[in-house]
PDB file of all heavy atoms in Angstrom:
ATOM      1  N   LEU A 538      25.192  26.266   6.856  1.00 80.00           N
ATOM      2  CA  LEU A 538      24.814  25.318   5.745  1.00 80.00           C
ATOM      3  C   LEU A 538      23.493  25.591   5.018  1.00 80.00           C
ATOM      4  O   LEU A 538      23.303  25.430   3.907  1.00 80.00           O
ATOM      5  CB  LEU A 538      25.008  23.763   6.245  1.00 80.00           C
ATOM      6  CG  LEU A 538      26.295  23.359   6.459  1.00 80.00           C
ATOM      7  CD1 LEU A 538      26.203  21.930   7.167  1.00 80.00           C
ATOM      8  CD2 LEU A 538      27.229  23.411   5.179  1.00 80.00           C
ATOM      9  N   SER A 539      22.547  26.111   5.823  1.00 80.00           N
ATOM     10  CA  SER A 539      21.244  26.228   5.254  1.00 80.00           C
ATOM     11  C   SER A 539      21.251  27.533   4.397  1.00 80.00           C
ATOM     12  O   SER A 539      20.610  27.605   3.348  1.00 80.00           O
ATOM     13  CB  SER A 539      20.190  26.489   6.316  1.00 80.00           C
ATOM     14  OG  SER A 539      20.473  27.601   7.094  1.00 80.00           O
ATOM     15  N   LYS A 540      22.152  28.453   4.707  1.00 85.00           N
ATOM     16  CA  LYS A 540      22.319  29.599   3.795  1.00 85.00           C
ATOM     17  C   LYS A 540      22.947  29.353   2.492  1.00 85.00           C
ATOM     18  O   LYS A 540      22.658  29.885   1.510  1.00 85.00           O
ATOM     19  CB  LYS A 540      23.193  30.814   4.624  1.00 85.00           C
ATOM     20  CG  LYS A 540      22.475  31.493   5.656  1.00 85.00           C
ATOM     21  CD  LYS A 540      23.378  32.484   6.316  1.00 85.00           C
ATOM     22  CE  LYS A 540      22.918  33.834   6.059  1.00 85.00           C
ATOM     23  NZ  LYS A 540      23.747  34.873   6.619  1.00 85.00           N
ATOM     24  N   ILE A 541      23.967  28.461   2.511  1.00 85.00           N
ATOM     25  CA  ILE A 541      24.600  28.083   1.247  1.00 85.00           C
ATOM     26  C   ILE A 541      24.078  26.861   0.581  1.00 85.00           C
ATOM     27  O   ILE A 541      24.675  26.270  -0.254  1.00 85.00           O
ATOM     28  CB  ILE A 541      26.163  27.980   1.453  1.00 85.00           C
ATOM     29  CG1 ILE A 541      26.425  26.870   2.481  1.00 85.00           C
ATOM     30  CG2 ILE A 541      26.711  29.267   1.900  1.00 85.00           C
ATOM     31  CD1 ILE A 541      28.061  26.633   2.426  1.00 85.00           C
ATOM     32  N   SER A 542      22.944  26.278   1.134  1.00 84.00           N
ATOM     33  CA  SER A 542      22.375  25.077   0.574  1.00 84.00           C
ATOM     34  C   SER A 542      22.250  24.987  -1.037  1.00 84.00           C
ATOM     35  O   SER A 542      22.507  24.018  -1.664  1.00 84.00           O
ATOM     36  CB  SER A 542      21.110  24.706   1.343  1.00 84.00           C
ATOM     37  OG  SER A 542      20.154  25.621   0.971  1.00 84.00           O
ATOM     38  N   TYR A 543      21.760  26.063  -1.479  1.00 85.00           N
ATOM     39  CA  TYR A 543      21.482  26.144  -2.884  1.00 85.00           C
ATOM     40  C   TYR A 543      22.869  25.947  -3.649  1.00 85.00           C
ATOM     41  O   TYR A 543      23.066  25.374  -4.688  1.00 85.00           O
ATOM     42  CB  TYR A 543      20.648  27.209  -3.309  1.00 85.00           C
ATOM     43  CG  TYR A 543      20.364  27.218  -4.789  1.00 85.00           C
ATOM     44  CD1 TYR A 543      19.427  26.237  -5.295  1.00 85.00           C
ATOM     45  CD2 TYR A 543      20.812  28.132  -5.712  1.00 85.00           C
ATOM     46  CE1 TYR A 543      19.022  26.087  -6.740  1.00 85.00           C
ATOM     47  CE2 TYR A 543      20.453  28.038  -7.138  1.00 85.00           C
ATOM     48  CZ  TYR A 543      19.677  27.041  -7.460  1.00 85.00           C
ATOM     49  OH  TYR A 543      19.334  26.928  -8.818  1.00 85.00           O
ATOM     50  N   SER A 544      23.823  26.773  -3.099  1.00 88.00           N
ATOM     51  CA  SER A 544      25.178  26.706  -3.715  1.00 88.00           C
ATOM     52  C   SER A 544      25.840  25.355  -3.601  1.00 88.00           C
ATOM     53  O   SER A 544      26.503  24.874  -4.483  1.00 88.00           O
ATOM     54  CB  SER A 544      26.081  27.707  -3.133  1.00 88.00           C
ATOM     55  OG  SER A 544      25.540  29.058  -3.504  1.00 88.00           O
ATOM     56  N   LEU A 545      25.504  24.685  -2.420  1.00 85.00           N
ATOM     57  CA  LEU A 545      26.118  23.441  -2.257  1.00 85.00           C
ATOM     58  C   LEU A 545      25.485  22.411  -3.353  1.00 85.00           C
ATOM     59  O   LEU A 545      26.197  21.561  -4.003  1.00 85.00           O
ATOM     60  CB  LEU A 545      25.758  22.752  -0.922  1.00 85.00           C
ATOM     61  CG  LEU A 545      26.472  23.377   0.294  1.00 85.00           C
ATOM     62  CD1 LEU A 545      25.857  22.974   1.608  1.00 85.00           C
ATOM     63  CD2 LEU A 545      27.942  22.993   0.241  1.00 85.00           C
ATOM     64  N   TYR A 546      24.253  22.476  -3.579  1.00 84.00           N
ATOM     65  CA  TYR A 546      23.498  21.768  -4.666  1.00 84.00           C
ATOM     66  C   TYR A 546      24.044  22.009  -5.926  1.00 84.00           C
ATOM     67  O   TYR A 546      24.167  21.165  -6.840  1.00 84.00           O
ATOM     68  CB  TYR A 546      21.959  22.187  -4.545  1.00 84.00           C
ATOM     69  CG  TYR A 546      21.213  21.615  -5.675  1.00 84.00           C
ATOM     70  CD1 TYR A 546      20.916  20.252  -5.822  1.00 84.00           C
ATOM     71  CD2 TYR A 546      20.722  22.516  -6.589  1.00 84.00           C
ATOM     72  CE1 TYR A 546      20.192  19.879  -6.971  1.00 84.00           C
ATOM     73  CE2 TYR A 546      19.953  22.067  -7.656  1.00 84.00           C
ATOM     74  CZ  TYR A 546      19.617  20.740  -7.884  1.00 84.00           C
ATOM     75  OH  TYR A 546      18.999  20.257  -8.892  1.00 84.00           O
ATOM     76  N   LEU A 547      24.283  23.227  -6.246  1.00 86.00           N
ATOM     77  CA  LEU A 547      24.854  23.594  -7.573  1.00 86.00           C
ATOM     78  C   LEU A 547      26.251  23.220  -7.744  1.00 86.00           C
ATOM     79  O   LEU A 547      26.617  22.789  -9.019  1.00 86.00           O
ATOM     80  CB  LEU A 547      24.777  25.165  -7.892  1.00 86.00           C
ATOM     81  CG  LEU A 547      23.390  25.672  -8.088  1.00 86.00           C
ATOM     82  CD1 LEU A 547      23.519  27.248  -8.132  1.00 86.00           C
ATOM     83  CD2 LEU A 547      22.701  25.185  -9.118  1.00 86.00           C
ATOM     84  N   ASN A 548      27.151  23.274  -6.884  1.00 87.00           N
ATOM     85  CA  ASN A 548      28.550  23.206  -7.009  1.00 87.00           C
ATOM     86  C   ASN A 548      29.055  21.688  -6.737  1.00 87.00           C
ATOM     87  O   ASN A 548      30.239  21.368  -7.080  1.00 87.00           O
ATOM     88  CB  ASN A 548      29.346  24.104  -6.230  1.00 87.00           C
ATOM     89  CG  ASN A 548      28.930  25.530  -6.622  1.00 87.00           C
ATOM     90  OD1 ASN A 548      28.968  25.810  -7.811  1.00 87.00           O
ATOM     91  ND2 ASN A 548      28.761  26.381  -5.691  1.00 87.00           N
ATOM     92  N   ASN A 549      28.394  20.986  -5.991  1.00 84.00           N
ATOM     93  CA  ASN A 549      29.030  19.690  -5.508  1.00 84.00           C
ATOM     94  C   ASN A 549      29.390  18.732  -6.490  1.00 84.00           C
ATOM     95  O   ASN A 549      30.655  18.302  -6.523  1.00 84.00           O
ATOM     96  CB  ASN A 549      28.053  18.994  -4.471  1.00 84.00           C
ATOM     97  CG  ASN A 549      26.875  18.592  -5.016  1.00 84.00           C
ATOM     98  OD1 ASN A 549      26.654  18.186  -6.148  1.00 84.00           O
ATOM     99  ND2 ASN A 549      25.757  18.736  -4.237  1.00 84.00           N
ATOM    100  N   LEU A 550      28.778  18.396  -7.552  1.00 83.00           N
ATOM    101  CA  LEU A 550      29.024  17.477  -8.648  1.00 83.00           C
ATOM    102  C   LEU A 550      30.211  18.055  -9.404  1.00 83.00           C
ATOM    103  O   LEU A 550      31.176  17.286  -9.791  1.00 83.00           O
ATOM    104  CB  LEU A 550      27.943  17.101  -9.473  1.00 83.00           C
ATOM    105  CG  LEU A 550      26.891  16.092  -8.790  1.00 83.00           C
ATOM    106  CD1 LEU A 550      25.777  15.893  -9.886  1.00 83.00           C
ATOM    107  CD2 LEU A 550      27.447  14.821  -8.360  1.00 83.00           C
TER     108      LEU A 550
END
Side-chain angles (χ1 to χ4, degrees):
L538 287 175
S539 69
K540 283 179 114 177
I541 64 168
S542 63
Y543 187 66
S544 295
L545 288 169
Y546 166 72
L547 289 177
N548 296 318
N549 60 36
L550 286 178

